[in-house]
Amino acid sequence: MSRVYKMTIAGCERELPLCPVDDKLDIAAFIMFGDVELTEKTAAALLEKCPEHDIVITAEAKGIPLCYEMARQGCRKYVVARKSVKLYMRNPIKVEVKSITTSQQQVLYLAEDDYRSLKDKRVLIVDDVISTGESLAALEKLVQEAGGNIVGCASVLAEGDAAKRKDILFLEPLPLFSK
């Protein structure tokens, strides 16, 4: 039987499976893909906490449903920083990132059309979970390089020490599980 962490997020009760990071640490896997109810409710709850913004940005891939739904319910515009350059992406800019949920260094890219859409706009950065803050820092660098004005950083969950941060908005803390 697999171990789970039970929690309530925006009125939705969920069981998050515990997954090993290494032999000393487990994390609770929070996956929004396919969970329309949770995505809609967390987007609405976060929008109540967030400052006015013109556009929302997230990193590929787990933050995409949340970013889309927040844009749908709110400002109607969003951008996704991609993990690889696609054929249609003209003149991309990039930053490197190391996340707790990925085993190696990653690169995030924004195509020219996307980074131009951020220039001089009030940008809200969103993600499903903020943990180490590495993905968040990479998105901040991309937005700054594009000339956008970051008005806030928001996530559904703040994992571990991220829950102590004063510079992010989140709905619930998520503990780390030491072995």
Side-chain angles (χ1 to χ4, degrees), residues 13 44 77 82-83 96 177:
E13 292 183 20
K77 294 180 183 154
R82 304 297 304 264
K83 290 182 180 175
E96 293 186 3
F177 301 87

Side-chain angles (χ1 to χ4, degrees), residues 55-117:
I55 191 165
V56 185
I57 186 171
T58 196
E60 188 177 41
K62 287 175 39 193
I64 294 173
L66 176 66
C67 186
Y68 165 81
E69 186 60 21
M70 289 179 74
R72 190 189 71 75
Q73 292 181 28
C75 66
R76 313 295 290 175
K77 294 180 183 154
Y78 75 101
V79 170
V80 176
R82 304 297 304 264
K83 290 182 180 175
S84 62
V85 175
K86 308 300 179 194
L87 292 175
Y88 58 82
M89 295 173 70
R90 296 178 310 129
N91 304 317
I93 58 174
K94 69 177 184 176
V95 295
E96 293 186 3
V97 60
K98 176 74 173 108
S99 167
I100 193 171
T101 55
T102 55
S103 57
Q104 68 264 11
Q105 190 86 0
Q106 292 183 321
V107 180
L108 293 177
Y109 300 89
L110 275 181
E112 184 174 9
D113 291 342
D114 290 333
Y115 63 76
R116 284 183 184 267
S117 71

Side-chain angles (χ1 to χ4, degrees), residues 2 8 19 26 43-44 51 120 132 147 149 172:
S2 63
T8 302
C19 303
D26 287 349
D120 299 324
T132 63
N149 302 310
E172 300 293 336

Side-chain angles (χ1 to χ4, degrees), residues 8-39:
T8 302
I9 310 161
C12 300
E13 292 183 20
R14 296 296 184 265
E15 292 185 354
L16 310 182
L18 295 181
C19 303
V21 172
D22 56 35
D23 52 337
K24 294 182 181 178
L25 181 69
D26 287 349
I27 60 172
F30 178 66
I31 311 296
M32 295 183 77
F33 289 133
D35 194 333
V36 175
E37 176 191 31
L38 183 66
T39 302

Side-chain angles (χ1 to χ4, degrees), residues 150-169:
I150 300 167
V151 295
C153 300
S155 68
V156 176
L157 304 176
E159 186 173 51
D161 286 342
K164 298 175 188 171
R165 293 177 61 161
K166 302 294 183 211
D167 63 330
I168 62 172
L169 303 166

